[in-house]
Amino acid sequence: MAPSSRRPATEVTLPVPESGDPVVVELEPVTGAFTGLIQELLGGRGHHLAVEINPRLAYRS
């Protein structure tokens, strides 16, 4: 497993709508490479749910 960079994150998040209140579900966020970009793209709109199924990688904040 290797951390993702901004370029693949940009490609993967292309479907995030630029308007409205979308619901984005991110499966296994691990390093957070996509998480930050999703948050940027949403800009406080809609909902973002990140689900990590590996208990060693999941944490509560």
Side-chain angles (χ1 to χ4, degrees), residues 28-42:
E28 299 193 30
V30 186
T31 64
F34 301 118
T35 305
L37 186 53
I38 291 168
Q39 291 296 313
E40 251 180 69
L41 293 169
L42 288 177

Side-chain angles (χ1 to χ4, degrees), residues 10-21:
T10 301
E11 297 281 329
V12 169
T13 57
L14 281 174
V16 176
E18 294 180 9
S19 61
D21 292 318

